[in-house]
Amino acid sequence: GKIVGANLAATNFYGYSKEELLALSINDINMLDKDKIRNLRLDAFLKSQKYFTFPHRLKDGNVKMVDVYSSPIEYNGKKVLFSIIFDVTEREKIAKENEYLAYHDYLTNAYNRRFFEEEFARKNIAKNFPLTIILGDINGFKMFNDSFGHVEGDKVLLEFSNKIQSLVGAEDVFCRIGGDEFAIIVAGKKEKEIKSYVDSIEKN
């Protein structure tokens, strides 16, 4: 894991002088668990895997996501790993944003219909029974939207969503499944508890 060589691009990227960088080990830069790093280095030495994506910490404390392509070579009479490193922080950020958007409503940040359907399928097992879906919409929303426009309508949707989310239990799943339609998946509550739950939401 000791760093035995580094070019100018590496020192510029990590913010260390060459002397400082060569005094470090990969464990000082890579933020993964030491044992995991060691096992991945072994994979690279055995050529079973040449490409990894890691979080690396720079000298100033900032963390960058990097792609590391590694291959064993002979260097000063020793077998070492030669690695080429690419900064992919922006790519990983966009990937996470896309992953978030895939399961969240763009306006309210509640879970969307896709997540609702997948989450219901995951929860639809015996240990979660009884399983309840609470459905609701905003009374007169279409008329309000037609009268005051979509901008004001969006404000109402956001306000409504935020209010309901604040009342939903931590273990329950709140989703926007349509224009003004929302759903809550509740696991493990009996009919009496569900009625009390719905009454509480309606009153507030």
Side-chain angles (χ1 to χ4, degrees):
K2 180 175 173 53
I3 299 172
V4 297
N7 63 9
L8 180 61
T11 58
N12 288 340
F13 177 68
Y14 289 103
Y16 292 100
S17 68
K18 187 170 183 178
E19 292 73 22
E20 289 174 324
L21 205 53
L22 298 186
L24 302 176
S25 79
I26 194 62
N27 293 327
D28 297 314
I29 293 173
N30 196 318
M31 296 179 64
L32 296 185
D33 176 77
K34 290 182 179 180
D35 290 336
K36 186 170 185 178
I37 297 171
R38 184 176 62 247
N39 291 336
L40 293 175
R41 280 204 312 271
L42 181 60
D43 288 343
F45 266 114
L46 297 175
K47 298 184 179 181
S48 58
Q49 186 173 348
K50 293 184 177 181
Y51 157 72
F52 308 90
T53 301
F54 292 128
H56 277 192
R57 183 185 286 110
L58 311 186
K59 184 179 181 179
D60 63 10
N62 284 325
V63 175
K64 296 287 188 178
M65 295 302 297
V66 296
D67 281 349
V68 180
Y69 293 82
S70 296
S71 183
I73 64 168
E74 292 290 331
Y75 179 76
N76 289 341
K78 294 181 179 180
K79 193 172 185 180
V80 301
L81 276 179
F82 175 72
S83 297
I84 301 174
I85 296 168
F86 297 92
D87 180 4
V88 294
T89 306
E90 192 62 25
R91 184 196 73 192
E92 294 298 304
K93 178 184 175 184
I94 291 171
K96 283 189 176 182
E97 289 174 351
N98 288 340
E99 184 180 352
Y100 180 87
L101 290 172
Y103 289 105
H104 289 80
D105 175 56
Y106 72 96
L107 175 65
T108 63
N109 288 322
Y111 288 115
N112 60 18
R113 188 179 190 92
R114 175 182 176 184
F115 184 87
F116 168 77
E117 292 173 352
E118 293 182 13
E119 185 67 6
F120 179 76
R122 281 191 289 267
K123 285 185 175 291
N124 193 18
I125 55 177
K127 74 173 185 177
N128 292 324
F129 292 166
L131 191 63
T132 303
I133 296 176
I134 301 171
L135 298 173
D137 60 14
I138 303 175
N139 291 340
F141 180 74
K142 185 179 185 306
M143 186 181 297
F144 181 92
N145 222 21
D146 292 343
S147 300
F148 297 99
H150 292 290
V151 173
E152 292 302 314
D154 285 352
K155 289 179 183 178
V156 170
L157 284 170
L158 184 57
E159 182 180 345
F160 177 85
S161 176
N162 289 340
K163 181 64 176 178
I164 300 299
Q165 285 188 76
S166 72
L167 300 171
V168 170
E171 300 300 317
D172 306 329
V173 181
F174 175 74
C175 308
R176 182 186 179 194
I177 59 173
D180 68 332
E181 297 171 336
F182 296 84
I184 307 169
I185 303 173
V186 184
K189 282 186 171 64
K190 295 182 180 178
E191 185 176 357
K192 187 176 180 180
E193 294 174 292
I194 289 295
K195 286 182 178 178
S196 176
Y197 192 9
V198 172
D199 285 344
S200 175
I201 291 174
E202 287 181 340
K203 286 176 183 176
N204 288 285

